[in-house]
Amino acid sequence: QPQGAALPLADLHFHPGPVVWPNHTPEEILRVMDRAGVRWAGNGTRGASDDHWASLVQTASGRFIPFAGLDPIRALILSQGEEAWSLRSPEITRYVERLEEHLRGRQFRGIGELFVNNRNSRPPNAPESRYPADSPLMRRLFAFAVTYHVPLSIHMDAEPTSVEELERLLAIDRKGTVIWAHCGGAAGDASVVRRLLAQHPNLLCDLSGRDDRSRPNPEVRRRIMITDEGRQLQSEWKALLEDYSDRFLVGTDSANPGQ
């Protein structure tokens, strides 16, 4: 990178689809990305099927990193519960088989975002989701991450039980990569994140979802932030980012992408 030139950004918490980008064309999305200095963007679609990625990839294949599974898996978990996350549901089995075909064909370059625990970090009116991070479904998807060399993005509050489950998943195969969306979730505790990064080299963290304007509840806002009341980076988070600078990812997760 030439001295003084701006570094290109990769937004790894970008959700195309009508929930976040209503009525936006691929060209309009690219213009917003260009204004923000974002060269690449990826994660799962919101309010649309996985196929929604096709028009974006066709418009600019080198700019987008399509992920699959966010809305389809979330819908099945919410409607079927344990039948889905234990892989006893015919619908989830068919979806997982189809997902593997697409991963094998390189139509998708990641899996997620999967909401294994959003009890304390979900926005107002969002559905609550909680299932084991090492459930049969997650183990199958993690195996795909290993086989097809794609990351698995999960949304998980740092409750002790969920953290234990995540550690068991990560230990199955160090060749599988997990991206912890919103790194730490509602825990806001840098010490938990530091321990996990130290013990699990296949764990990455994205820093999305820290915009306090989208969290009207002051208690939730306090838990998710890594800055103090003066919007200065907390010292423990500053040290963590410096010590593990190659393990953190940028993400917007914006509900108002025009800002």
Side-chain angles (χ1 to χ4, degrees):
Q1 189 73 21
Q3 186 174 4
L7 289 171
L9 298 176
D11 177 357
L12 264 295
H13 207 115
F14 162 81
H15 293 309
V19 170
V20 180
W21 297 87
N23 305 316
H24 284 71
T25 66
E27 291 78 11
E28 289 171 330
I29 293 173
L30 285 168
R31 282 195 289 273
V32 173
M33 289 169 58
D34 289 341
R35 286 201 303 271
V38 173
R39 184 175 297 178
W40 310 280
N43 210 299
T45 59
R46 289 290 312 280
S49 71
D50 295 335
D51 295 338
H52 185 80
W53 267 114
S55 62
L56 291 170
V57 173
Q58 289 168 5
T59 301
S61 61
R63 301 290 300 277
F64 295 108
I65 309 167
F67 281 43
L70 190 160
D71 270 4
I73 291 175
R74 188 182 202 184
L76 288 168
I77 293 290
L78 291 174
S79 64
Q80 299 181 351
E82 186 173 354
E83 287 292 305
W85 56 254
S86 65
L87 289 179
R88 295 198 300 266
S89 155
E91 291 85 357
I92 195 75
T93 300
R94 284 195 295 270
Y95 177 79
V96 167
E97 290 172 350
R98 189 164 63 251
L99 173 60
E100 182 170 21
E101 291 177 8
H102 291 153
L103 291 170
R104 188 182 298 118
R106 305 301 285 171
Q107 284 102 319
F108 297 104
R109 308 305 296 269
I111 305 168
E113 171 191 8
L114 305 177
F115 294 83
V116 300
N117 185 345
N118 70 348
R119 283 178 174 172
N120 297 304
S121 57
R122 59 193 176 96
N125 303 318
E128 181 177 307
S129 181
R130 167 72 176 94
Y131 57 95
D134 62 341
S135 63
L137 170 64
M138 293 299 294
R139 287 172 176 264
R140 178 76 60 83
L141 297 175
F142 186 71
F144 292 170
V146 174
T147 300
Y148 301 106
H149 310 291
V150 298
L152 177 62
S153 171
I154 68 167
H155 178 129
M156 189 194 81
D157 292 347
E159 294 179 353
T161 300
S162 288
V163 170
E164 292 173 6
E165 294 162 357
L166 174 61
E167 292 195 85
R168 288 195 292 268
L169 185 72
L170 290 164
I172 291 171
D173 193 326
R174 295 303 184 189
K175 295 190 295 294
T177 299
V178 169
I179 300 174
W180 190 359
H182 322 296
C183 206
D189 189 342
S191 64
V192 173
V193 179
R194 177 178 288 278
R195 182 182 68 78
L196 291 180
L197 289 174
Q199 296 181 1
H200 302 281
N202 51 335
L203 178 66
L204 302 177
C205 284
D206 92 39
L207 291 170
S208 65
R210 259 67 187 220
D211 186 352
D212 56 2
R213 294 170 296 181
S214 65
R215 298 292 189 269
N217 184 313
E219 179 60 22
V220 172
R221 195 162 60 235
R222 182 190 65 78
R223 288 198 300 261
I224 68 170
M225 298 303 290
I226 63 175
T227 55
D228 59 26
E229 293 183 0
R231 289 181 176 265
Q232 298 299 307
L233 193 61
Q234 296 174 18
S235 59
E236 61 269 29
W237 276 98
K238 182 177 184 296
L240 182 59
L241 289 167
E242 290 173 345
D243 292 344
Y244 292 94
S245 60
D246 60 340
R247 307 277 292 282
F248 283 92
L249 306 171
V250 175
T252 52
D253 196 23
S254 177
N256 188 355
Q259 289 184 339

